[in-house]
Amino acid sequence: MTNALFIVSEEGYWAEECIEPLTTLGDAGVDVTVATPTGSSPVVDEHSLDPEDLGEDEAERLREIHETDERLADPAALWTAVEGETGKALVVCHAAGLLAFTRDSDGEILAAGRDVTGFPNAWERGIVDEQDIFEGRKLPYWVEDEVTAVGANWEAELDADTSVTVDGDLVTARGPGSSAAAATTLLDELGIEA
């Protein structure tokens, strides 16, 4: 059986970006361990469950999974979960910015020279004010700026419905609408039928 370590922010994850890959991998028979930085249960960003954006049925489905999925309710602590882990990585949306700050086992920046996608500047401009404030919070960085600054090759495919990029052991996805396609791509890369 294939195992997956699924790292989630405790501070507010975007429902579709987390739940679509989590359920897609689980439904394909992957043994998924959810981990958060401290092992505390992750909080869902309520904006990501807005029935006006998603429709009532989808909002209810995502909320139900958030509230009932045992993996989300009782995650492992990240640093105890990752020891000795190797394999492929799936990174979605704003999390791709972390690749500009993460080093591989050789000490090299993970995004340098890699093909990467994530939340593009073109979309960021549409959601922040002139001080980079989004719904009362200052953005710490713009994903596209950070990964290109360290030498990543950026392609968000703005004209496409979804955007998923594969570079060796790294699968990145543009945003919420690409999360299901990203999970399916990861399964393909692992040789597992969805």
Side-chain angles (χ1 to χ4, degrees):
M1 174 176 276
T2 302
N3 298 313
L5 178 62
F6 199 89
I7 303 169
V8 182
S9 168
E10 294 163 338
E11 301 302 320
Y13 70 83
W14 199 259
E16 184 178 2
E17 292 174 356
C18 173
I19 292 171
E20 287 304 322
L22 179 64
T23 57
T24 299
L25 294 173
D27 290 348
V30 174
D31 182 19
V32 180
T33 298
V34 172
T36 62
T38 68
S40 296
S41 298
V43 175
V44 68
D45 184 326
E46 288 296 323
H47 293 99
S48 70
L49 295 172
D50 187 341
E52 289 185 25
D53 292 336
L54 299 170
E56 288 286 336
D57 291 343
E58 182 65 0
E60 285 179 33
R61 181 184 79 82
L62 292 171
R63 182 174 300 284
E64 181 180 343
I65 292 169
H66 167 74
E67 292 174 352
T68 63
D69 190 291
E70 291 179 20
R71 299 165 296 190
L72 290 170
D74 189 25
L78 177 59
W79 304 117
T80 60
V82 297
E83 188 175 328
E85 294 293 324
T86 60
K88 296 193 179 286
L90 169 61
V91 183
V92 180
C93 198
H94 282 88
L98 297 173
L99 300 173
F101 305 99
T102 305
R103 295 185 181 274
D104 65 18
S105 60
D106 296 325
E108 301 297 321
I109 296 288
L110 200 55
R114 306 287 294 269
D115 295 332
V116 175
T117 194
F119 202 82
N121 285 355
W123 291 5
E124 210 75 82
R125 284 185 203 93
I127 65 169
V128 298
D129 68 13
E130 59 278 350
Q131 283 92 32
D132 289 347
I133 304 290
F134 172 70
E135 297 181 359
R137 296 179 293 183
K138 172 102 170 127
L139 292 181
Y141 58 81
W142 286 32
V143 175
E144 183 176 346
D145 288 346
E146 293 300 328
V147 297
T148 57
V150 298
N153 306 311
W154 181 264
E155 179 53 69
E157 301 176 293
L158 295 176
D159 295 331
D161 290 339
T162 63
S163 179
V164 177
T165 300
V166 178
D167 186 326
D169 60 356
L170 181 62
V171 178
T172 53
R174 184 180 60 207
S178 299
S179 56
T184 301
T185 300
L186 178 60
L187 290 172
D188 289 344
E189 290 293 307
L190 294 170
I192 299 171
E193 267 192 56

